[in-house]
Amino acid sequence: MSQYPAQGPPPITTQPQSITVINAPVILGPGPQAMTCPVCHAQIMTDVSDKAIPKTHGFAILICCLGGVLGCCLFPYCISSCQGQEHACPNCRHTLGFYK
Ligand SMILES: [Zn+2]
């Protein structure tokens, strides 16, 4: 068995890595979900924050205080961005999905 010296470093084969790109947030349940984070690949329980809920009431109260016509105060409840729960990874803090 003959031994030949290594002819430099082995050729680097560039293979396209399959990177998980989160385009659309996944719709999750109302509570913390056990899942594998697609960003940091850690086994995590999603961190649920419902900070949007008080904002929804705040907007409604604000509109009512500003003399909004009855019905306009319900407007924030119709805006999806004003309500719902956000699931985030406790490890990398990446937003993983929403529950509405
Ligand atoms: Zn993560």
Side-chain angles (χ1 to χ4, degrees):
M1 186 170 179
S2 59
Q3 293 180 349
Y4 290 101
Q7 299 293 324
I12 301 170
T13 55
T14 53
Q15 292 180 347
Q17 298 271 328
S18 59
I19 301 171
T20 306
V21 178
I22 302 175
N23 292 322
V26 185
I27 304 300
L28 300 166
Q33 304 276 310
M35 62 182 293
T36 303
C37 177
V39 181
C40 64
H41 303 285
Q43 289 286 336
I44 48 105
M45 287 288 285
T46 57
D47 198 358
V48 180
S49 60
D50 55 352
K51 59 178 181 281
I53 300 301
K55 189 174 73 174
T56 310
H57 299 308
F59 270 115
I61 294 170
L62 183 66
I63 291 173
C64 286
C65 289
L66 290 173
V69 183
L70 185 65
C72 284
C73 60
L74 299 175
F75 190 58
Y77 295 100
C78 299
I79 304 172
S80 61
S81 62
C82 284
Q83 56 189 325
Q85 291 175 304
E86 182 185 87
H87 288 261
C89 172
N91 196 32
C92 66
R93 307 308 303 173
H94 197 97
T95 301
L96 302 176
F98 297 95
Y99 171 77
K100 295 177 183 178

